[in-house]
Amino acid sequence: MRVHNFSAGPAAMPLDVLEQAASEMSDWGSSGMSVMEVSHRSKEFVAAAEEAEALLRELLAVPDDYRVLFLQGGATGQFAGIPLNLSAEGDTVDYVNTGAWSKKAIAEAKKYATVNVVADESASNYSTTPDPAAVRPSQGSAYLHYTPNETIGGVEFGYVPDTGDVPLVADMSSTILSRPIEVSKFGLIYGGAQKNMGPAGLCLVVVRDDLVGRARPQTPSVWDYRAMAEAGSMLNTPPTFGIYLLGLILRWLKGQGGLAAMGERNRAKAEKLYAAIDGSPFYRNPVSPDARSWMNVPFILADDSLDKTFLAQAAEAGLTNLAGHRSVGGMRASIYNAMPMEGVDALIDFMKEFERANG
Ligand SMILES: *Cc1c(COP(=O)(O)O)cnc(C)c1O
């Protein structure tokens, strides 16, 4: 029996995708092998990777002057890959600090560049996003980095910062493909796949051409954007199963009506869940209403001595992985693309019932 899996990542995947992968697990495309067993340089696999890239370009409306790279090392690898590729020794780079993932990106960038934190939301205990006017690059900055969706805090930007000529870099790990975006506003977009794009092990980078070819000499080749672009992301053996599953997920997304339809669905799911939380004194979401994430919805119980019981009874009801991140506690419901409205409805019903029994 499938549960409703509210994990923040690795996260739930569409059942249709899992069933298709299962049906061709031992014989992919009449090769007599699984997709994991074919050469990454075979024409069949190269075609699958090309289809995944083409679908991604179509769904995200990626302009022609951007490269799409399939890398490894996760978003965390890119915390180093970005300063190594986009800044020179001694450069200043700008970062916005909106919570846990911003902080990790900042700590890593400090190994390679002078980090200037242009906006910092610690005063609100990371329950807000900065005023758009505050997100301005500093003089001579190589790029400005921000985290559009903070997966742990459940804080999401309702706007795209305007950085003028300074390239805007976005860690979209937990928001990519959740709605349409205007790629041309960004110099670089990246994300680990395991939230909205497939299994762990694949990291996506979408980077504008003028930012490719500037890597510092000591950059590992597998993270050198030019080397990887020239090799079609196959400088070494790529995460073939992850690329294949990304392709299936993108086909599924297209079948669902693409990102505009998905965005409407995600908005409706989030609104319903926040309304249920706000409508009860028993539950509370600490995030400022204009900064609430559509993807990760943290909430706390008025009486935190009930947390364990809540989680245990939820799991019994088939609602799993609702514990908040270990650094913050409480609850967190991650409701990425693969979480249907029925899952959100089931959670809300459970929350109401739990409140009735314990309130
Ligand atoms: C999950 C996550 C990461 C880390 O991704 P890895 O692929 O595990 O390195 C980084 N940033 C954000 C916003 C995330 O949600």
Side-chain angles (χ1 to χ4, degrees), residues 73-77 79 101 147 149 151 171 173-174 192 194-195:
T76 304
F79 291 168
W101 288 112
T147 310
N149 185 67
T151 320
D171 175 1
S173 296
S174 52
Q194 67 274 19
K195 279 77 184 234

Side-chain angles (χ1 to χ4, degrees), residues 105-169:
I106 289 167
E108 193 71 1
K110 281 183 173 167
K111 295 180 184 173
Y112 305 101
T114 303
V115 172
N116 178 33
V117 177
V118 294
D120 183 314
E121 299 303 289
S122 55
S124 71
N125 197 23
Y126 302 108
S127 63
T128 49
T129 49
D131 187 311
V135 188
R136 286 281 173 265
S138 52
Q139 188 73 33
S141 171
Y143 60 84
L144 186 145
H145 178 284
Y146 82 120
T147 310
N149 185 67
E150 285 281 359
T151 320
I152 294 171
V155 168
E156 187 157 19
F157 280 72
Y159 65 94
V160 176
D162 178 2
T163 53
D165 291 339
V166 172
L168 179 63
V169 174

Side-chain angles (χ1 to χ4, degrees), residues 1-84:
M1 193 204 83
R2 292 275 294 171
V3 295
H4 289 299
N5 176 9
F6 293 92
S7 172
M13 287 202 257
L15 181 57
D16 290 352
V17 165
L18 295 174
E19 285 177 343
Q20 182 174 349
S23 77
E24 54 194 26
M25 183 61 82
S26 56
D27 182 11
W28 177 65
S30 306
S31 64
M33 292 173 269
S34 78
V35 69
M36 290 175 282
E37 298 166 293
V38 303
S39 166
H40 58 292
R41 303 202 187 277
S42 65
K43 74 173 185 338
E44 292 78 11
F45 186 80
V46 169
E50 283 172 357
E51 188 202 337
E53 176 174 340
L55 279 168
L56 185 88
R57 284 182 174 278
E58 179 187 338
L59 285 162
L60 263 185
V62 178
D64 288 343
D65 60 333
Y66 284 72
R67 292 307 107 217
V68 171
L69 305 176
F70 297 135
L71 307 181
Q72 294 176 73
T76 304
Q78 291 312 304
F79 291 168
I82 287 158
L84 282 167

Side-chain angles (χ1 to χ4, degrees), residues 7-355:
S7 172
M13 287 202 257
L15 181 57
D16 290 352
V17 165
L18 295 174
E19 285 177 343
Q20 182 174 349
S23 77
E24 54 194 26
M25 183 61 82
S26 56
D27 182 11
W28 177 65
S30 306
S31 64
M33 292 173 269
S34 78
V35 69
M36 290 175 282
E37 298 166 293
V38 303
S39 166
H40 58 292
R41 303 202 187 277
S42 65
K43 74 173 185 338
E44 292 78 11
F45 186 80
V46 169
E50 283 172 357
E51 188 202 337
E53 176 174 340
L55 279 168
L56 185 88
R57 284 182 174 278
E58 179 187 338
L59 285 162
L60 263 185
V62 178
D64 288 343
D65 60 333
Y66 284 72
R67 292 307 107 217
V68 171
L69 305 176
F70 297 135
L71 307 181
Q72 294 176 73
T76 304
Q78 291 312 304
F79 291 168
I82 287 158
L84 282 167
N85 276 273
L86 305 191
S87 72
E89 204 90 43
D91 272 359
T92 294
V93 295
D94 290 332
Y95 279 71
V96 177
N97 179 12
T98 46
W101 288 112
S102 301
K103 283 194 242 178
K104 290 194 180 185
I106 289 167
E108 193 71 1
K110 281 183 173 167
K111 295 180 184 173
Y112 305 101
T114 303
V115 172
N116 178 33
V117 177
V118 294
D120 183 314
E121 299 303 289
S122 55
S124 71
N125 197 23
Y126 302 108
S127 63
T128 49
T129 49
D131 187 311
V135 188
R136 286 281 173 265
S138 52
Q139 188 73 33
S141 171
Y143 60 84
L144 186 145
H145 178 284
Y146 82 120
T147 310
N149 185 67
E150 285 281 359
T151 320
I152 294 171
V155 168
E156 187 157 19
F157 280 72
Y159 65 94
V160 176
D162 178 2
T163 53
D165 291 339
V166 172
L168 179 63
V169 174
D171 175 1
M172 292 211 175
S173 296
S174 52
T175 184
I176 194 153
L177 302 178
S178 68
R179 76 202 74 180
I181 54 167
E182 213 174 307
V183 175
S184 62
K185 291 183 172 170
F186 301 87
L188 186 149
I189 289 165
Y190 69 106
Q194 67 274 19
K195 279 77 184 234
N196 238 351
M197 297 190 287
L202 170 67
C203 176
L204 174 75
V205 170
V206 178
V207 56
R208 207 173 58 214
D209 279 338
D210 62 294
L211 301 175
V212 174
R214 302 196 198 167
R216 299 188 201 180
Q218 72 271 35
T219 307
S221 303
V222 292
W223 289 343
D224 177 323
Y225 301 150
R226 177 159 68 190
M228 281 308 255
E230 285 174 352
S233 297
M234 292 198 195
L235 193 71
N236 69 323
T237 314
T240 51
F241 192 65
I243 293 170
Y244 153 78
L245 267 176
L246 170 65
L248 296 189
I249 284 175
L250 293 169
R251 269 194 227 165
W252 173 82
L253 264 176
K254 194 174 168 179
Q256 298 287 308
L259 297 193
M262 197 47 73
E264 281 317 307
R265 226 163 290 163
N266 285 330
R267 177 206 300 278
K269 279 153 47 186
E271 275 175 2
K272 209 170 189 182
L273 185 49
Y274 286 115
I277 293 166
D278 291 344
S280 151
F282 196 78
Y283 301 104
R284 196 170 80 80
N285 170 280
V287 179
S288 168
D290 67 341
R292 284 174 165 182
S293 170
W294 288 6
M295 296 282 102
N296 311 99
V297 181
F299 59 94
I300 52 178
L301 307 188
D303 174 1
D304 66 7
S305 71
L306 289 169
D307 284 6
K308 281 206 170 100
T309 318
F310 180 94
L311 290 168
Q313 291 183 4
E316 265 169 49
L319 308 167
T320 66
N321 288 316
L322 281 164
H325 189 266
R326 59 185 188 278
S327 63
V328 292
M331 315 298 156
R332 174 178 49 169
S334 294
I335 51 174
Y336 300 114
N337 287 349
M339 176 60 64
M341 184 61 99
E342 301 89 83
V344 173
D345 287 337
L347 174 60
I348 292 171
D349 288 347
F350 173 80
M351 288 166 70
K352 289 195 171 136
E353 181 56 30
F354 189 83
E355 178 178 358

